[in-house]
């Protein structure tokens, strides 16, 4: 999967980041614009910071302590924060909380724990939960995502999810999907969600 991503543009080039995150953030330079949760060496948040160096607010990369301590290259302006997403989210009211390929590794009940810790840190009407994963069509599934779904079942006893399954999963945490951003059916989507009013 990692190899296939190397030939694709960064998510910020595919999806309308300016509309999702940069329209309405707090102007305070000490506020948090984006928290990248559990994303290893921080490729995505580094790409975001490079593309929008003058965006208001700070950037935070979170992962387990051994991962954070092993990062070799990351702009000094991005805060490296050891964090286990099975524990309460320490960053409150960030404009966006970004998860890439996290939820497809876990069954619904475990996903609920991760979401609960995030939603408890969010404010209604301001914060966004962003999920970069496959959002499968309800029928006529293309070959490549079909193979990924089978692989998830065989290796981890888990699955990729359809849009209706994502909606149900997030609704249980008091979240609503604002929009599912997709370039095409044979690429990942970006789920934009926020707390239900």
């Amino acid at each position: 999967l990692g190899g296939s991503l190397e030939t694709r543009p960064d998510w910020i080039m595919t999806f309308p980041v300016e509309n999702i995150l940069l329209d309405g953030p707090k102007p305070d330079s000490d506020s948090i614009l984006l928290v990248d949760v559990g994303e290893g060496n921080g490729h995505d948040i580094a790409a975001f910071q490079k593309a929008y160096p003058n965006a208001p607010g700070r950037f935070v990369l979170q992962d387990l302590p051994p991962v954070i301590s092993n990062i070799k290259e990351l702009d000094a302006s991005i805060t490296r924060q050891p964090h286990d997403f099975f524990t309460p989210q320490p960053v409150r009211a960030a404009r966006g909380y970004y998860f890439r390929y996290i939820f497809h590794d876990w069954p619904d009940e475990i996903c609920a724990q991760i979401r609960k810790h995030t939603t408890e840190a969010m404010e209604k009407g301001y914060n966004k939960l962003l999920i970069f994963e496959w959002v499968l069509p309800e029928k006529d599934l293309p070959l490549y995502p079909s193979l990924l779904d089978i692989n998830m079942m065989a290796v981890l006893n888990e699955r990729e999810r359809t849009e209706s399954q994502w909606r149900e999963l997030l609704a249980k945490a008091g979240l609503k999907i604002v929009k599912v951003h997709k370039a095409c059916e044979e690429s990942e989507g970006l789920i934009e969600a926020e707390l239900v009013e």
Side-chain angles (χ1 to χ4, degrees), residues 112 115 119 129 131 163-177 191 193-196:
R115 291 192 319 275
T119 56
L129 178 70
I131 301 172
E163 183 171 337
S164 62
Q165 289 169 332
W166 278 113
R167 289 186 182 279
E168 181 180 357
L169 189 71
L170 295 175
K172 291 178 180 176
L175 293 158
K176 64 178 180 181
I177 292 180
I191 301 170
E194 58 188 29
L195 291 172
V196 174

Side-chain angles (χ1 to χ4, degrees), residues 11 25-27 56 60 66 139 150 155 175:
W11 69 289
K26 295 175 180 176
V60 177
K139 59 180 181 179
I150 292 170
V155 175
L175 293 158

Side-chain angles (χ1 to χ4, degrees), residues 58 64 83 106 108 112 179:
R58 297 185 293 117
L64 295 173
H83 173 61
W106 304 98
D108 288 1
K179 187 171 183 178

Side-chain angles (χ1 to χ4, degrees), residues 93-163:
R95 176 64 168 162
Y97 295 89
Y98 175 76
F99 292 81
R100 179 174 186 157
Y101 296 140
I102 300 295
F103 295 107
H104 74 163
D105 289 341
W106 304 98
D108 288 1
E109 59 270 20
I110 301 298
C111 289
Q113 296 178 30
I114 303 170
R115 291 192 319 275
K116 178 177 182 290
H117 291 310
T118 305
T119 56
E120 287 176 346
M122 294 172 67
E123 294 178 357
K124 289 182 180 179
Y126 179 69
N127 306 128
K128 302 281 189 177
L129 178 70
L130 303 175
I131 301 172
F132 182 92
E133 294 214 27
W134 286 92
V135 183
L136 305 181
E138 303 296 333
K139 59 180 181 179
D140 301 326
L141 189 61
L143 178 60
Y144 182 57
S146 297
L147 294 174
L148 292 176
D149 191 31
I150 292 170
N151 183 64
M152 288 299 299
M153 180 179 65
V155 175
L156 294 173
N157 195 30
E158 283 311 320
R159 60 183 169 167
E160 307 295 351
R161 293 178 171 90
T162 65
E163 183 171 337

